[in-house]
Amino acid sequence: MPRATALYIGALFGPGLLLLPGLAAEQAGPASIIAWLALLGLSGIFAAVFAALGKAVPGAAGAAGYAAAGLGRRAAAMTRWWFLAGVVAGAPIVCLIGASYVTALTGGGPLARAAIAAGLLLAVLGLALGGVRASALAQLLLVALLIVVVVTAVAGSAHAARPGNWTPFAPHGWLSVGRAASTLMLSFVGWEAVAPLTGRLRAGQLSRVIGIAFTVTAVLYLGLAVATVSCLGHGADMAVPLADLLQLAIGPVGRAVAAAAALVLTAGSVNAYLSGAAEMLRELTAARGPMSPNEPGRPPRLSSRAFLGFIALAGLALIALSALRLADIAALVSVPTAMFLCVYLSCTAAAARILTGKARAAAAVAVLAVLAVLAFCGWALLAAAVIALAAVLAVPGRGYPQLKMGGRPLPPNAPGTLLLMPAVSPWARLGVVGAGRRT
């Protein structure tokens, strides 16, 4: 239970906390707290849905496996490509966030921040190229570090809270709450990452683990959101809110602590996402035997080295756009946010098809909520649509290989054909038992 709780908390926390509270406060003012509360409620629904998916489809390979079980192979391909696109667009943004905390300590403008971000990105890509992967222990240590830093910042800066910072409550109108919610959504993905481990926990243990993880994340998120508005107030530079709160809490050394924490968290987070993306790419591009579906997969058509090289080129291009002030951080954040929201949309839609009872109702609510948040993603929806179209065109229309008996092809409606299909489906090799629902 302690390890499972720590993994759940670790999946939900990340370097987004270094920037997103301040970005949401800039977009919606004090009304951003409404977005936080709404997303915390949605996070609880996500927890229930993915826990139920983990039980219903215990062998699924993460989000793509859930999409395959409920919606088919094309939905699974779209889910994989959305995730990969989110990693490609998100890695340089995370590096820019970490670099902002360094330049807040050392000084320097957009060019200095871009140079530091580029160095961070290339360093982490170099580690990934050398085979260095994020260990579970390292990730748990990073989570513990983040919790200590956030608690220190929130508790230590309480003396600087001013009631006047809460008025006007919605300076940019009520629609700004929706825009803030779409920005903050990047801090609420993660429930799907450890859902496949739910089979190792008994029913009573699972509910306690999810309850503890949700409580811890809710308290820390709300504490940071309230402190950002109460202590920093209107007109403050929200680029490095955690550094400003730490400075209020422990003095000038707080900025140094925030910069060190930002660098460590940036490196750990990007490395963890690259590890997951490399595994997903290997599954997505592996060539399969067309007439021997149960044989081992052939080597991938696209190597992880080529993928890391593409991330480097795309990341440096995005960092350059930021350095030249052709794209602000809010616009850049919207791209990975839209991608990961689409991943959640496919998973929750699949859950609404394969789950039953209260879990199915929760999944239906989650689908509507994700669609509502997606509506505020603006132009980033176009990028998600392009990724989806490319994934659909890349996947053959036939979901199963041709079945034969006695050397002769079986017609689609032959007796027993549907019973055989789940056994030879490529998703069955991933353990997606839900693919057998066609029977």
Side-chain angles (χ1 to χ4, degrees):
M1 276 187 60
R3 284 183 295 173
T5 303
L7 286 173
Y8 264 108
I9 296 173
L12 292 168
F13 279 142
L17 278 177
L18 299 172
L19 171 70
L20 298 185
L23 196 57
E26 283 185 340
Q27 291 175 330
S32 61
I33 196 70
I34 298 177
W36 281 103
L37 290 170
L39 289 180
L40 283 171
L42 182 58
S43 181
I45 296 175
F46 284 152
V49 170
F50 281 104
L53 278 174
K55 293 179 182 178
V57 195
Y66 300 143
L71 302 176
R73 63 185 302 182
R74 281 181 169 170
M78 287 191 291
T79 302
R80 281 195 169 95
W81 283 115
W82 279 326
F83 180 85
L84 292 174
V87 172
V88 171
I93 295 171
V94 171
C95 292
L96 281 170
I97 295 172
S100 297
Y101 276 76
V102 176
T103 55
L105 175 67
T106 62
L111 290 177
R113 183 183 68 171
I116 296 171
L120 272 173
L121 179 64
L122 294 177
V124 178
L125 288 173
L127 291 175
L129 191 62
V132 178
R133 299 206 174 182
S135 68
L137 178 60
Q139 293 302 310
L140 295 180
L141 290 176
L142 289 177
V143 172
L145 169 66
L146 183 57
I147 291 175
V148 170
V149 169
V150 171
V151 170
T152 301
V154 172
S157 62
H159 65 88
R162 300 290 183 270
N165 289 335
W166 288 87
T167 56
F169 187 71
H172 307 297
W174 292 106
L175 286 179
S176 64
V177 176
R179 292 191 292 272
S182 67
T183 297
L184 292 173
M185 191 65 202
L186 200 58
S187 289
F188 289 89
V189 296
W191 288 112
E192 82 290 352
V194 286
L197 301 178
T198 54
R200 302 186 183 183
L201 295 168
R202 294 190 298 272
Q205 289 181 325
L206 178 61
S207 61
R208 289 197 295 272
V209 165
I210 290 178
I212 294 171
F214 178 76
T215 301
V216 170
T217 53
V219 169
L220 291 180
Y221 277 144
L222 280 179
L224 190 58
V226 171
T228 300
V229 174
S230 298
C231 302
L232 301 184
H234 304 291
D237 182 7
M238 296 292 188
V240 286
L242 194 59
D244 295 334
L245 291 175
L246 281 172
Q247 185 172 12
L248 292 173
I250 58 178
V253 72
R255 287 188 173 271
V257 172
L263 286 176
V264 175
L265 288 167
T266 297
S269 176
V270 174
N271 185 256
Y273 268 100
L274 289 178
S275 299
E279 291 296 329
M280 187 168 286
L281 182 76
R282 188 172 294 110
E283 293 176 1
L284 185 65
T285 63
R288 306 290 183 182
M291 300 307 294
S292 302
N294 292 318
E295 73 178 9
R298 298 171 184 173
R301 294 188 291 263
L302 181 63
S303 69
S304 58
R305 290 176 178 267
F307 179 61
L308 294 176
F310 178 75
I311 291 180
L313 292 176
L316 292 176
L318 289 175
I319 291 172
L321 289 177
S322 175
L324 298 174
R325 299 184 179 181
L326 297 177
D328 60 11
I329 194 70
L332 294 176
V333 166
S334 66
V335 177
T337 299
M339 299 300 172
F340 287 118
L341 274 170
C342 289
V343 170
Y344 265 55
L345 180 62
S346 64
C347 289
T348 52
R353 292 195 64 188
I354 63 179
L355 299 180
T356 59
K358 294 181 179 179
R360 187 173 191 174
V365 172
V367 169
L368 295 177
V370 171
L371 286 173
V373 178
L374 269 172
F376 290 92
C377 288
W379 65 272
L381 289 175
L382 179 60
V386 170
I387 295 296
L389 179 61
V392 168
L393 294 177
V395 176
R398 292 174 58 186
Y400 301 99
Q402 176 67 57
L403 298 178
K404 292 185 177 182
M405 182 176 290
R408 298 176 61 186
L410 283 174
N413 58 350
T417 302
L418 291 179
L419 293 175
L420 289 171
M421 280 186 174
V424 298
S425 163
W427 302 115
R429 297 216 306 277
L430 296 177
V432 184
V433 296
R437 285 180 57 83
R438 294 193 183 192
T439 60

